[in-house]
Amino acid sequence: MNTDLYLVIGIVLGALAVPSMLSAFSEGRAPRIGAILVLISGTLLVLAISQKPGGYELADIPQAFYRVIGQVLN
């Protein structure tokens, strides 16, 4: 798999984890799904950063999203 894909999936899962965790905390439940999403997201982000030579910079993230969307659409 492409490191850009790992990065994009990791960021999306991390973004989805936030509302899940907030919902669980506000209702007094244990944030199990949110915690699992955070672990998967962190693993994918570390994998993407460590596998790409030179790593990623903050300016590279939008370009990675564009490349992944372009790959999916083609």
Side-chain angles (χ1 to χ4, degrees):
M1 276 191 145
N2 194 357
T3 57
D4 287 343
L5 186 60
Y6 290 146
L7 180 74
V8 170
I9 293 173
I11 290 172
V12 169
L13 288 179
L16 291 175
V18 173
S20 173
M21 292 183 82
L22 287 176
S23 173
F25 283 131
S26 70
E27 294 175 3
R29 297 182 286 119
R32 290 183 184 96
I33 299 297
I36 291 170
L37 286 174
V38 167
L39 290 173
I40 294 170
S41 171
T43 303
L44 287 172
L45 291 173
V46 167
L47 182 65
I49 292 170
S50 66
Q51 293 295 318
K52 182 175 181 188
Y56 283 97
E57 293 183 13
L58 199 56
D60 295 334
I61 294 173
Q63 295 170 354
F65 270 91
Y66 294 140
R67 285 190 295 266
V68 169
I69 291 170
Q71 288 175 356
V72 169
L73 293 178
N74 284 334

Coordinates of all heavy atoms in Angstrom, one line a residue:
M1 N 0.8 -1.2 0.0 CA 0.0 0.0 0.0 C 0.9 1.2 0.0 O 2.0 1.2 0.4 CB -0.9 0.0 1.2 CG -2.2 -0.7 1.1 SD -3.2 -0.3 2.5 CE -4.8 -0.4 1.7
N2 N 0.3 2.3 -0.4 CA 1.0 3.6 -0.5 C 1.0 4.3 0.8 O 0.0 4.2 1.6 CB 0.2 4.4 -1.5 CG 0.9 5.6 -2.0 OD1 2.0 5.9 -1.5 ND2 0.3 6.3 -2.9
T3 N 2.1 5.0 1.1 CA 2.2 5.7 2.4 C 1.2 6.8 2.5 O 0.7 7.1 3.6 CB 3.6 6.2 2.7 OG1 4.0 7.0 1.6 CG2 4.6 5.0 2.8
D4 N 0.9 7.4 1.4 CA -0.1 8.5 1.4 C -1.5 7.9 1.8 O -2.2 8.6 2.5 CB -0.3 9.1 0.0 CG 0.9 10.0 -0.4 OD1 1.6 10.3 0.5 OD2 1.0 10.3 -1.6
L5 N -1.8 6.7 1.4 CA -3.1 6.1 1.8 C -3.1 5.8 3.3 O -4.1 6.1 3.9 CB -3.3 4.8 1.0 CG -4.6 4.1 1.2 CD1 -5.8 5.0 0.7 CD2 -4.7 2.8 0.4
Y6 N -2.0 5.3 3.8 CA -1.9 5.1 5.3 C -2.1 6.4 6.0 O -2.9 6.5 7.0 CB -0.6 4.6 5.7 CG -0.3 3.2 5.2 CD1 1.0 2.8 4.9 CD2 -1.3 2.2 5.2 CE1 1.3 1.5 4.5 CE2 -1.0 0.9 4.8 CZ 0.3 0.5 4.5 OH 0.6 -0.7 4.1
L7 N -1.5 7.5 5.5 CA -1.6 8.8 6.2 C -3.1 9.3 6.2 O -3.6 9.7 7.2 CB -0.7 9.8 5.5 CG -0.7 11.2 6.1 CD1 0.0 11.2 7.4 CD2 -0.1 12.2 5.1
V8 N -3.7 9.2 5.0 CA -5.1 9.7 4.8 C -6.0 8.9 5.7 O -6.9 9.5 6.4 CB -5.5 9.8 3.4 CG1 -6.9 10.0 3.2 CG2 -4.6 10.8 2.6
I9 N -5.9 7.6 5.6 CA -6.8 6.8 6.5 C -6.6 7.0 7.9 O -7.6 7.1 8.7 CB -6.7 5.3 6.1 CG1 -7.2 5.0 4.7 CG2 -7.4 4.4 7.1 CD1 -6.9 3.6 4.2
G10 N -5.4 7.2 8.3 CA -5.0 7.5 9.7 C -5.6 8.8 10.2 O -6.2 8.9 11.3
I11 N -5.6 9.8 9.4 CA -6.1 11.1 9.7 C -7.6 11.1 9.8 O -8.3 11.6 10.7 CB -5.7 12.2 8.7 CG1 -4.2 12.5 8.9 CG2 -6.5 13.5 8.9 CD1 -3.5 13.4 7.9
V12 N -8.3 10.4 8.8 CA -9.7 10.3 8.8 C -10.2 9.5 10.0 O -11.2 9.9 10.7 CB -10.2 9.6 7.5 CG1 -11.7 9.3 7.6 CG2 -10.0 10.6 6.3
L13 N -9.6 8.4 10.4 CA -10.0 7.6 11.5 C -9.8 8.4 12.8 O -10.6 8.3 13.7 CB -9.2 6.3 11.6 CG -9.6 5.2 10.6 CD1 -8.8 4.0 10.7 CD2 -11.1 4.9 10.7
G14 N -8.7 9.2 12.9 CA -8.5 10.0 14.0 C -9.5 11.1 14.2 O -10.0 11.4 15.3
A15 N -10.0 11.6 13.1 CA -11.1 12.6 13.1 C -12.4 12.0 13.6 O -13.2 12.6 14.3 CB -11.2 13.3 11.8
L16 N -12.6 10.8 13.1 CA -13.8 10.1 13.5 C -13.8 9.6 15.0 O -14.9 9.4 15.6 CB -14.1 8.9 12.6 CG -14.4 9.1 11.2 CD1 -14.5 7.8 10.4 CD2 -15.7 9.9 11.1
A17 N -12.6 9.5 15.6 CA -12.5 9.1 16.9 C -13.0 10.2 17.9 O -13.5 9.9 19.0 CB -11.1 8.6 17.3
V18 N -12.7 11.4 17.5 CA -13.0 12.5 18.5 C -14.5 12.6 18.8 O -14.9 12.6 20.0 CB -12.6 13.8 17.9 CG1 -13.0 15.0 18.7 CG2 -11.0 13.8 17.7
P19 N -15.5 12.6 17.9 CA -16.9 12.6 18.3 C -17.3 11.4 19.0 O -18.1 11.4 20.0 CB -17.7 12.7 17.0 CG -16.7 12.9 15.9 CD -15.3 12.7 16.4
S20 N -16.7 10.2 18.7 CA -17.1 9.0 19.4 C -16.7 9.0 20.8 O -17.4 8.6 21.7 CB -16.4 7.8 18.7 OG -16.6 6.6 19.4
M21 N -15.5 9.6 21.1 CA -15.0 9.6 22.5 C -15.8 10.7 23.3 O -16.1 10.5 24.4 CB -13.5 9.9 22.5 CG -12.7 8.8 22.0 SD -10.9 9.1 22.1 CE -10.6 8.7 23.8
L22 N -16.0 11.8 22.6 CA -16.8 12.9 23.3 C -18.2 12.4 23.7 O -18.7 12.6 24.8 CB -16.9 14.1 22.4 CG -15.6 14.9 22.3 CD1 -15.9 16.1 21.3 CD2 -15.2 15.5 23.7
S23 N -18.8 11.6 22.8 CA -20.2 11.1 23.0 C -20.1 10.1 24.2 O -21.0 10.1 25.1 CB -20.7 10.4 21.8 OG -21.9 9.7 22.0
A24 N -19.1 9.2 24.2 CA -19.0 8.3 25.3 C -18.8 8.9 26.6 O -19.4 8.6 27.6 CB -17.9 7.3 25.0
F25 N -17.9 9.9 26.7 CA -17.6 10.6 27.9 C -18.9 11.4 28.4 O -19.2 11.4 29.6 CB -16.5 11.6 27.8 CG -15.1 10.9 27.8 CD1 -14.2 11.2 26.8 CD2 -14.8 10.0 28.7 CE1 -12.9 10.6 26.8 CE2 -13.6 9.4 28.7 CZ -12.6 9.7 27.8
S26 N -19.6 12.0 27.5 CA -20.8 12.8 27.9 C -21.9 11.9 28.4 O -22.7 12.3 29.3 CB -21.3 13.7 26.8 OG -21.9 12.9 25.8
E27 N -22.0 10.7 27.9 CA -23.0 9.7 28.4 C -22.5 8.9 29.6 O -23.3 8.0 30.0 CB -23.5 8.9 27.3 CG -24.2 9.7 26.2 CD -24.5 8.8 25.0 OE1 -24.3 7.6 25.0 OE2 -25.1 9.4 24.0
G28 N -21.3 9.0 30.0 CA -20.8 8.3 31.1 C -20.4 6.8 30.8 O -20.3 6.0 31.7
R29 N -20.2 6.6 29.5 CA -19.8 5.2 29.1 C -18.2 5.2 28.9 O -17.6 6.2 28.8 CB -20.4 4.9 27.7 CG -21.9 4.8 27.8 CD -22.5 4.3 26.5 NE -22.5 5.5 25.5 CZ -21.8 5.4 24.4 NH1 -21.1 4.4 24.0 NH2 -21.8 6.5 23.6
A30 N -17.7 4.0 28.8 CA -16.3 3.8 28.4 C -16.1 4.0 26.9 O -16.9 3.5 26.2 CB -15.8 2.4 28.8
P31 N -15.1 4.8 26.5 CA -15.0 5.1 25.1 C -14.2 4.0 24.4 O -13.1 4.2 23.9 CB -14.2 6.4 25.1 CG -13.4 6.3 26.4 CD -14.2 5.6 27.4
R32 N -14.8 2.8 24.3 CA -14.1 1.7 23.7 C -13.9 1.9 22.2 O -12.8 1.7 21.7 CB -14.9 0.4 23.9 CG -14.9 0.0 25.4 CD -15.7 -1.3 25.6 NE -15.8 -1.7 27.0 CZ -16.8 -1.4 27.7 NH1 -17.8 -0.7 27.3 NH2 -16.7 -1.7 29.0
I33 N -14.9 2.2 21.4 CA -14.7 2.4 20.0 C -13.8 3.5 19.7 O -13.0 3.4 18.8 CB -16.1 2.6 19.3 CG1 -17.0 1.4 19.5 CG2 -15.9 2.8 17.8 CD1 -16.5 0.1 19.0
G34 N -13.9 4.6 20.4 CA -13.1 5.8 20.2 C -11.6 5.4 20.5 O -10.7 5.8 19.7
A35 N -11.4 4.6 21.5 CA -10.0 4.2 21.9 C -9.4 3.3 20.8 O -8.3 3.4 20.4 CB -10.0 3.6 23.2
I36 N -10.3 2.4 20.3 CA -9.8 1.5 19.2 C -9.5 2.3 18.0 O -8.4 2.1 17.3 CB -10.8 0.4 18.9 CG1 -10.9 -0.5 20.1 CG2 -10.5 -0.3 17.7 CD1 -12.1 -1.5 20.0
L37 N -10.3 3.3 17.6 CA -10.0 4.2 16.5 C -8.7 5.0 16.7 O -8.0 5.1 15.7 CB -11.2 5.1 16.2 CG -12.4 4.5 15.6 CD1 -13.6 5.5 15.5 CD2 -12.1 3.9 14.2
V38 N -8.5 5.5 17.8 CA -7.3 6.2 18.1 C -6.1 5.3 18.0 O -5.0 5.7 17.4 CB -7.3 6.8 19.5 CG1 -6.0 7.3 19.9 CG2 -8.3 8.0 19.5
L39 N -6.1 4.1 18.4 CA -5.0 3.2 18.3 C -4.7 2.8 16.9 O -3.6 2.8 16.4 CB -5.3 1.9 19.1 CG -5.2 2.0 20.6 CD1 -5.7 0.7 21.3 CD2 -3.8 2.4 21.1
I40 N -5.8 2.5 16.1 CA -5.6 2.2 14.7 C -5.0 3.4 13.9 O -4.1 3.3 13.1 CB -6.9 1.7 14.1 CG1 -7.3 0.4 14.7 CG2 -6.8 1.6 12.5 CD1 -8.7 -0.1 14.3
S41 N -5.6 4.6 14.2 CA -5.2 5.8 13.6 C -3.7 6.1 13.9 O -2.9 6.4 13.0 CB -6.0 7.0 14.1 OG -5.5 8.2 13.6
G42 N -3.3 6.0 15.1 CA -1.9 6.2 15.5 C -1.0 5.3 14.8 O 0.1 5.7 14.4
T43 N -1.4 4.0 14.8 CA -0.5 3.0 14.1 C -0.3 3.3 12.6 O 0.8 3.3 12.1 CB -1.2 1.6 14.3 OG1 -1.3 1.3 15.6 CG2 -0.3 0.5 13.6
L44 N -1.4 3.7 12.0 CA -1.3 4.1 10.5 C -0.5 5.3 10.3 O 0.3 5.4 9.4 CB -2.7 4.2 9.9 CG -3.5 3.0 9.7 CD1 -4.9 3.3 9.3 CD2 -2.8 2.1 8.7
L45 N -0.6 6.3 11.2 CA 0.2 7.5 11.0 C 1.7 7.2 11.3 O 2.5 7.7 10.5 CB -0.3 8.6 12.0 CG -1.7 9.2 11.7 CD1 -2.1 10.1 12.8 CD2 -1.6 9.9 10.4
V46 N 2.0 6.5 12.3 CA 3.4 6.1 12.5 C 4.0 5.3 11.4 O 5.1 5.5 10.9 CB 3.5 5.4 13.9 CG1 4.9 4.7 14.0 CG2 3.3 6.3 15.0
L47 N 3.2 4.4 10.9 CA 3.6 3.6 9.7 C 3.9 4.4 8.5 O 4.9 4.3 7.8 CB 2.6 2.5 9.4 CG 2.9 1.5 8.3 CD1 4.1 0.7 8.7 CD2 1.7 0.7 8.0
A48 N 3.0 5.4 8.2 CA 3.1 6.2 7.1 C 4.4 7.1 7.2 O 5.2 7.3 6.3 CB 1.9 7.1 6.9
I49 N 4.6 7.7 8.4 CA 5.7 8.6 8.6 C 7.0 7.8 8.5 O 8.0 8.3 8.0 CB 5.5 9.4 9.9 CG1 4.4 10.3 9.8 CG2 6.8 10.1 10.3 CD1 3.9 11.0 11.0
S50 N 7.0 6.6 9.1 CA 8.3 5.9 9.1 C 8.6 5.2 7.8 O 9.8 5.0 7.5 CB 8.2 4.8 10.2 OG 7.3 3.8 9.9
Q51 N 7.7 4.9 7.0 CA 7.9 4.3 5.7 C 8.3 5.2 4.6 O 8.9 4.8 3.6 CB 6.7 3.4 5.3 CG 6.4 2.2 6.2 CD 7.6 1.2 6.2 OE1 8.1 0.9 5.2 NE2 7.9 0.7 7.4
K52 N 7.9 6.5 4.7 CA 8.2 7.4 3.6 C 9.6 8.0 3.9 O 9.8 8.5 5.0 CB 7.2 8.5 3.6 CG 7.5 9.5 2.4 CD 6.4 10.5 2.3 CE 6.8 11.4 1.1 NZ 6.0 12.5 0.9
P53 N 10.4 7.9 2.9 CA 11.8 8.5 3.0 C 11.7 10.1 3.3 O 11.0 10.7 2.5 CB 12.5 8.3 1.7 CG 11.7 7.1 1.1 CD 10.3 7.3 1.6
G54 N 12.2 10.5 4.3 CA 12.1 12.0 4.6 C 10.9 12.3 5.5 O 10.8 13.4 6.0
G55 N 10.0 11.4 5.6 CA 8.8 11.7 6.4 C 7.8 12.7 5.7 O 7.9 12.9 4.5
Y56 N 6.9 13.2 6.5 CA 5.9 14.1 6.0 C 6.1 15.4 6.7 O 6.4 15.5 7.9 CB 4.5 13.6 6.2 CG 4.0 12.6 5.2 CD1 4.1 11.2 5.6 CD2 3.5 12.9 4.0 CE1 3.6 10.2 4.7 CE2 3.1 11.9 3.1 CZ 3.1 10.6 3.5 OH 2.7 9.7 2.6
E57 N 5.8 16.5 6.0 CA 5.7 17.8 6.6 C 4.3 18.2 6.6 O 3.4 17.6 5.9 CB 6.6 18.8 5.8 CG 8.1 18.6 5.9 CD 8.9 19.6 5.2 OE1 8.3 20.7 4.8 OE2 10.1 19.4 5.0
L58 N 3.9 19.3 7.3 CA 2.6 19.7 7.4 C 2.0 20.2 6.0 O 0.8 19.9 5.7 CB 2.5 20.9 8.4 CG 1.1 21.2 9.0 CD1 0.5 20.0 9.6 CD2 1.2 22.3 10.0
A59 N 2.9 20.7 5.2 CA 2.4 21.2 3.9 C 2.2 20.0 2.9 O 1.5 20.2 1.9 CB 3.5 22.1 3.3
D60 N 2.7 18.8 3.3 CA 2.5 17.6 2.4 C 1.1 17.0 2.6 O 0.7 16.2 1.7 CB 3.6 16.6 2.7 CG 5.0 17.1 2.3 OD1 5.1 18.0 1.4 OD2 5.9 16.6 2.9
I61 N 0.4 17.3 3.7 CA -0.8 16.6 4.0 C -1.9 16.9 3.0 O -2.5 15.9 2.5 CB -1.2 16.9 5.4 CG1 -0.2 16.3 6.4 CG2 -2.6 16.3 5.7 CD1 -0.5 16.6 7.8
P62 N -2.2 18.1 2.6 CA -3.2 18.3 1.5 C -2.9 17.7 0.2 O -3.7 17.1 -0.5 CB -3.3 19.8 1.4 CG -2.7 20.4 2.6 CD -1.7 19.4 3.1
Q63 N -1.6 17.7 -0.1 CA -1.2 17.0 -1.4 C -1.4 15.5 -1.3 O -1.8 14.9 -2.3 CB 0.3 17.3 -1.7 CG 0.5 18.8 -2.0 CD 2.0 19.1 -2.0 OE1 2.9 18.3 -1.7 NE2 2.3 20.4 -2.4
A64 N -1.2 14.9 -0.1 CA -1.4 13.5 0.0 C -2.9 13.2 -0.1 O -3.3 12.2 -0.8 CB -0.9 13.0 1.4
F65 N -3.8 14.0 0.4 CA -5.2 13.8 0.2 C -5.6 13.9 -1.3 O -6.3 13.1 -1.8 CB -6.0 14.9 1.0 CG -6.4 14.5 2.4 CD1 -5.5 14.8 3.5 CD2 -7.5 13.8 2.7 CE1 -5.8 14.4 4.7 CE2 -7.9 13.4 3.9 CZ -7.0 13.7 5.0
Y66 N -5.0 14.9 -2.0 CA -5.3 15.0 -3.4 C -4.8 13.8 -4.2 O -5.5 13.3 -5.1 CB -4.7 16.3 -4.0 CG -5.2 17.6 -3.5 CD1 -4.4 18.6 -3.2 CD2 -6.6 17.7 -3.2 CE1 -4.9 19.8 -2.7 CE2 -7.1 18.9 -2.7 CZ -6.3 19.9 -2.5 OH -6.8 21.1 -2.0
R67 N -3.6 13.3 -3.9 CA -3.1 12.1 -4.6 C -4.0 10.9 -4.3 O -4.3 10.1 -5.2 CB -1.7 11.8 -4.1 CG -0.7 12.8 -4.8 CD 0.7 12.3 -4.5 NE 1.1 12.3 -3.1 CZ 1.7 13.4 -2.5 NH1 2.0 14.5 -3.2 NH2 2.0 13.3 -1.3
V68 N -4.4 10.7 -3.0 CA -5.3 9.5 -2.7 C -6.6 9.6 -3.4 O -7.1 8.6 -3.9 CB -5.4 9.4 -1.2 CG1 -6.5 8.4 -0.8 CG2 -4.1 9.0 -0.6
I69 N -7.2 10.8 -3.4 CA -8.5 11.0 -4.1 C -8.4 10.7 -5.6 O -9.2 10.1 -6.2 CB -9.1 12.4 -3.8 CG1 -9.5 12.5 -2.3 CG2 -10.3 12.7 -4.7 CD1 -9.8 13.9 -1.8
G70 N -7.3 11.2 -6.1 CA -7.0 11.0 -7.6 C -6.8 9.5 -7.9 O -7.3 9.0 -8.9
Q71 N -6.2 8.7 -7.0 CA -6.0 7.3 -7.2 C -7.4 6.6 -7.1 O -7.6 5.6 -7.8 CB -5.1 6.7 -6.1 CG -3.6 7.1 -6.4 CD -2.7 6.6 -5.3 OE1 -3.2 6.0 -4.3 NE2 -1.4 6.8 -5.4
V72 N -8.2 7.0 -6.2 CA -9.5 6.4 -6.0 C -10.4 6.6 -7.2 O -11.1 5.7 -7.6 CB -10.2 6.8 -4.7 CG1 -11.6 6.4 -4.6 CG2 -9.4 6.3 -3.5
L73 N -10.4 7.9 -7.7 CA -11.2 8.2 -8.8 C -10.8 7.6 -10.1 O -11.6 7.5 -11.1 CB -11.4 9.7 -8.9 CG -12.1 10.4 -7.8 CD1 -12.1 11.9 -8.0 CD2 -13.5 9.9 -7.6
N74 N -9.5 7.3 -10.3 CA -9.0 6.7 -11.5 C -9.1 5.2 -11.5 O -9.0 4.4 -11.1 CB -7.6 7.2 -11.8 CG -7.6 8.6 -12.4 OD1 -8.6 9.0 -12.9 ND2 -6.5 9.3 -12.1

